[in-house]
């Protein structure tokens, strides 16, 4: 079943990159556990478990119904405005060193993104960056400045 989307539209995003999985154990207690509840709940086949066992949303199929958001036991899936290409792909609330030890790309709550954002769209809440889509300009400066690459560009342009 396909729906024609009119830009800007909304879609789900998983706030975890999955690098906390080392093949046997998951080091981050806040990340995706790969349980598949989001995959099972999606009537549009818009979510898969990727190569490292972490949920990935296929934006072109997602209609932002919110079923996956409600089903996720980790509460790391949220709906965002797709006109904003910049997303925080981390949910770790641990402080600096503990977050670094858990994942190679975890947010450590350093605040560089918050200081960089001229629109004041990003704030560190409970040691993790959070973007307000309604204010974000999608300039990507927070993603460029993030020392841990926890903030990403969904288009794949900013690396």
């Amino acid at each position: 079943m396909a729906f024609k989307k009119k830009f800007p539209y909304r879609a789900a995003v998983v706030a975890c990159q999955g690098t906390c999985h080392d093949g046997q154990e998951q080091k981050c207690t806040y990340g995706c556990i790969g349980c598949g509840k989001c995959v099972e709940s999606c009537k549009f086949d818009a979510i898969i478990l990727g190569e490292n066992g972490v949920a990935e949303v296929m934006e072109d199929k997602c209609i932002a119904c919110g079923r996956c958001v409600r089903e996720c036991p980790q509460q790391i899936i949220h709906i965002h405005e797709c006109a904003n290409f910049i997303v925080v792909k981390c949910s770790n609330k641990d402080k600096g060193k503990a977050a670094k030890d858990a994942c190679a790309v975890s947010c450590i709550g350093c605040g560089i993104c918050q200081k960089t954002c001229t629109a004041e769209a990003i704030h560190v809440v409970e040691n993790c960056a959070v973007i307000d889509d309604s204010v974000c300009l999608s300039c990507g400066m927070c993603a460029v400045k993030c020392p841990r690459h926890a903030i990403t560009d969904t288009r794949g342009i900013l690396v």
Side-chain angles (χ1 to χ4, degrees):
M1 181 183 296
F3 287 90
K4 187 168 182 170
K5 295 181 182 183
K6 191 174 167 185
F7 194 81
Y9 54 90
R10 297 173 55 164
V13 66
V14 180
C16 179
Q17 296 184 51
T19 58
C20 57
H21 294 261
D22 68 0
Q24 295 173 347
E25 83 174 291
Q26 180 172 339
K27 298 176 188 174
C28 176
T29 59
Y30 300 96
C32 179
I33 58 174
C35 67
K37 288 184 179 183
C38 55
V39 176
E40 293 168 11
S41 71
C42 183
K43 303 280 187 214
F44 302 95
D45 296 324
I47 304 177
I48 60 167
L49 290 181
E51 64 184 56
N52 55 3
V54 172
E56 295 176 18
V57 177
M58 291 175 281
E59 196 176 284
D60 59 331
K61 292 183 176 183
C62 180
I63 65 161
C65 67
R67 285 176 160 235
C68 56
V69 175
R70 291 187 297 276
E71 290 296 323
C72 180
Q74 294 292 86
Q75 299 178 340
I76 62 167
I77 304 175
H78 62 275
I79 304 296
H80 82 109
E81 294 294 327
C82 293
N84 178 11
F85 303 109
I86 309 303
V87 295
V88 179
K89 295 283 281 179
C90 182
S91 298
N92 195 326
K93 293 175 181 20
D94 290 336
K95 291 186 179 180
K97 180 166 176 15
K100 273 184 180 179
D101 291 345
C103 180
V105 290
S106 63
C107 179
I108 57 172
C110 67
I112 292 172
C113 55
Q114 186 172 319
K115 293 174 190 144
T116 302
C117 183
T118 58
E120 298 180 5
I122 191 163
H123 298 282
V124 175
V125 179
E126 295 182 64
N127 302 312
C128 191
V130 177
I131 297 174
D132 180 349
D133 286 337
S134 67
V135 182
C136 182
L137 303 173
S138 265
C139 69
M141 286 311 298
C142 57
V144 170
K145 295 288 185 175
C146 180
R148 305 279 299 161
H149 306 290
I151 305 170
T152 62
D153 180 347
T154 58
R155 300 168 296 186
I157 295 173
L158 302 172
V159 180

